Amino acid sequence: MFSVSKNSRPGVCHGGRVAMLAFALSATAGGNAVAAPSNTAPLDLPHLITMARTGNKDLQAACYAIDTARAKLLGAGLRANPRLDISTRSDFLFGNDGEYSATIGISQSFPITGRLLRQKDMARVDIALAEAEVQETERRLANEIAVAVGRVIVIDRQIQSRDALIGIEQKLLKMTQSRFKAAEVSELDVNTVQLDLQRIVQERALLQSQQQALIVSLNTLLGRPASSALNLDVSIPEAGALPGLDQLQRKAVESRPDLHSALLSSDRAEAEMALAKASRWEDWTVGLELSQDKQVITGAPSQGVNRAIGVTVSIPLPVFNKGQGLIAEAQASTDQARAHIVALRQSIFGDVAGAYGEAIRLAAALSQYGQHLQPISARSVRLAQQGYSQGLIPVFDVVQAQRQQSELTATYLTTLDQYLQTLARLHLAVGDDIPAATTHEGFSTCNR
């Protein structure tokens, strides 16, 4: 169900370089992804996000908001339908003298204040808002995938670490058993090594379970069956140092779909204000009427048929209802939208600065591990093993040295995990674009 491709060593930060930047920010890692089975090229993050944009069911559902907004534009700004009025009157149920009247008319309402244009303006802004909301959904979906892939990378290295420890423990166990047979050590030494080996095997099994759960989660995000095979590229590409904080904050203001949506909300509130003002004068109605009637006067000669044409004009007067409530509501919405823009800008600057500072600190910690702590720990384990093989130290010292190395590696991988999650959070805060499939009008997901 799960396979990985490793194209680089487990080391992360060396010589002052910050690795994994391409993973979460530039997303320029190499690799061709054409399918998920393990016999195909491994899938890197950009390809996974491309698959999610075309396969994620929640994102596909969100795209229908664009269709809804476009459908509303079709009806916005249309004139009211003309009205056909027909009426007739007769005395056939009473005197039945042949007296009657009949009228047929047609009337049409006409806007006089540009109300229809204001409706179209609002409908166009609604389309842009729906598109921005889909972009925001895509951004958060990409972040979820980046987080999941980062966890897979860390767990894969945790499993590699356990595999290495299992190999070391197995060699130590063989050595201990041989020395036990030669009566050089006690059975307690053998049991100590066996128990430590089983502990590591159990930890590896738990990590594999977590790995499978992440693959199921990734398949769900990609819109694939949960049990589908997924061949992931878990190598860590190296990249240069992070861009400057000011540069990232400027890019965030330019790129964030939620800020773009907030700006569009302000535009919509202003369009709503213009519509409210245009609606103060209701439509005028002009009617054309053709009537025909015949009267019967008792004792008088038969009357002829009378025909007439009439024109009516109906003008509503804004005396009591001048749209005060709608205008006040639109003004409040405008003020709220502008306040939300200010608050969101401040939040964006804070999110980028927080994630940026944490990424710098974690990168320094990872570099410290790779340059200093890892070599010292590995040398201590080698010395302990050599001392035990020569009978200079007890097996407990060897197990202690190996556990110390295991704990140090676990701390390193925990730091690596936090670093990857921080980079994903920084990417989410900045709102970088990640390469995807060919788009149409910027929304490949919504081409159904």
Side-chain angles (χ1 to χ4, degrees):
M1 179 179 177
F2 168 69
S3 59
V4 297
S5 175
K6 309 173 187 64
N7 299 321
S8 65
R9 56 185 178 179
V12 180
C13 299
H14 301 282
R17 293 179 298 176
V18 180
M20 301 167 296
L21 177 60
F23 162 74
L25 287 178
S26 61
T28 57
N32 299 319
V34 294
S38 58
N39 59 347
T40 62
L43 300 174
D44 58 9
L45 181 62
H47 290 89
L48 290 172
I49 293 176
T50 298
M51 294 171 61
R53 284 178 171 174
T54 56
N56 183 269
K57 307 309 179 187
D58 292 332
L59 188 55
Q60 290 176 0
C63 289
Y64 284 100
I66 300 177
D67 294 341
T68 301
R70 288 174 178 168
K72 289 182 179 179
L73 178 61
L74 295 177
L78 296 179
R79 293 182 180 274
N81 292 324
R83 296 171 60 90
L84 179 64
D85 300 315
I86 300 175
S87 65
T88 182
R89 185 177 62 185
S90 174
D91 66 344
F92 75 96
L93 290 179
F94 301 98
N96 197 20
D97 295 327
E99 187 173 275
Y100 72 92
S101 67
T103 303
I104 183 171
I106 187 169
S107 61
Q108 175 67 55
S109 61
F110 296 92
I112 62 168
T113 56
R115 177 178 56 83
L116 301 184
L117 293 178
R118 304 290 81 78
Q119 288 180 350
K120 282 185 173 293
D121 291 341
M122 283 189 58
R124 292 189 184 98
V125 176
D126 286 339
I127 294 176
L129 272 170
E131 292 174 342
E133 289 174 0
V134 171
Q135 283 184 323
E136 176 65 9
T137 303
E138 287 184 344
R139 183 176 73 101
R140 296 193 175 277
L141 174 62
N143 179 71
E144 290 185 47
I145 295 175
V147 169
V149 171
R151 290 290 300 134
V152 170
I153 289 176
V154 171
I155 290 179
D156 177 70
R157 276 150 182 77
Q158 289 175 331
I159 292 176
Q160 291 181 47
S161 173
R162 298 309 187 278
D163 288 340
L165 286 174
I166 288 174
I168 294 173
E169 290 285 350
Q170 287 175 342
K171 292 180 181 179
L172 180 60
L173 179 60
K174 290 181 180 179
M175 182 190 305
T176 305
Q177 289 174 338
S178 298
R179 296 188 63 186
F180 173 68
K181 292 179 180 178
E184 296 179 0
V185 297
S186 67
E187 185 180 356
L188 180 60
D189 287 4
V190 177
N191 294 340
T192 299
V193 177
Q194 285 181 333
L195 291 175
D196 201 49
L197 174 61
Q198 290 303 312
R199 175 185 62 83
I200 298 172
V201 171
Q202 291 296 322
E203 289 177 354
R204 187 184 188 281
L206 178 60
L207 290 169
Q208 286 182 318
S209 177
Q210 295 175 358
Q211 188 181 66
Q212 294 300 325
L214 282 170
I215 296 304
V216 170
S217 177
L218 270 173
N219 276 324
T220 302
L221 292 174
L222 298 178
R224 292 153 43 90
S227 59
S228 299
L230 194 58
N231 180 20
L232 296 180
D233 179 5
V234 295
S235 60
I236 303 178
E238 294 185 353
L242 286 171
L245 177 59
D246 292 340
Q247 179 181 347
L248 291 177
Q249 288 177 331
R250 286 195 301 270
K251 187 172 184 179
V253 171
E254 296 171 357
S255 306
R256 285 278 291 262
D258 54 345
L259 180 57
H260 180 55
S261 180
L263 294 171
L264 288 173
S265 296
S266 178
D267 293 342
R268 190 187 190 283
E270 293 178 359
E272 191 174 1
M273 170 75 76
L275 177 61
K277 292 180 178 179
S279 300
R280 289 181 296 181
W281 282 90
E282 299 180 37
D283 296 350
W284 292 13
T285 303
V286 178
L288 178 64
E289 179 182 275
L290 174 63
S291 63
Q292 175 177 301
D293 65 81
K294 180 179 180 180
Q295 293 182 345
V296 175
I297 302 175
T298 303
S302 176
Q303 304 294 312
V305 176
N306 298 318
R307 295 184 178 88
I309 295 178
V311 177
T312 61
V313 178
S314 176
I315 303 177
L317 301 177
V319 177
F320 303 107
N321 183 4
K322 300 180 181 180
Q324 303 96 320
L326 293 177
I327 294 175
E329 182 181 352
Q331 182 62 56
S333 297
T334 302
D335 295 340
Q336 182 184 31
R338 291 172 180 171
H340 179 61
I341 291 172
V342 174
L344 186 56
R345 285 180 183 271
Q346 184 176 3
S347 176
I348 288 173
F349 285 138
D351 291 344
V352 175
Y356 181 85
E358 186 176 355
I360 294 297
R361 290 189 294 272
L362 291 173
L366 292 174
S367 179
Q368 176 71 14
Y369 170 85
Q371 295 179 8
H372 302 290
L373 301 181
Q374 186 182 31
I376 294 175
S377 175
R379 177 170 174 79
S380 296
V381 171
R382 288 196 301 270
L383 291 175
Q385 291 172 345
Q386 291 174 2
Y388 179 71
S389 64
Q390 297 171 4
L392 300 177
I393 61 174
V395 72
F396 298 101
D397 291 345
V398 180
V399 172
Q400 179 65 25
Q402 292 177 171
R403 284 189 179 181
Q404 187 179 46
Q405 184 186 43
S406 176
E407 292 173 357
L408 184 62
T409 302
T411 301
Y412 155 73
L413 291 175
T414 299
T415 306
L416 173 62
D417 186 23
Q418 293 179 1
Y419 181 65
L420 289 174
Q421 307 312 310
T422 300
L423 284 183
R425 184 158 54 89
L426 181 59
H427 167 72
L428 179 68
V430 174
D432 289 321
D433 293 329
I434 296 180
T438 303
T439 61
H440 174 66
E441 296 182 358
F443 293 94
S444 60
T445 306
C446 301
N447 294 336
R448 291 178 297 274

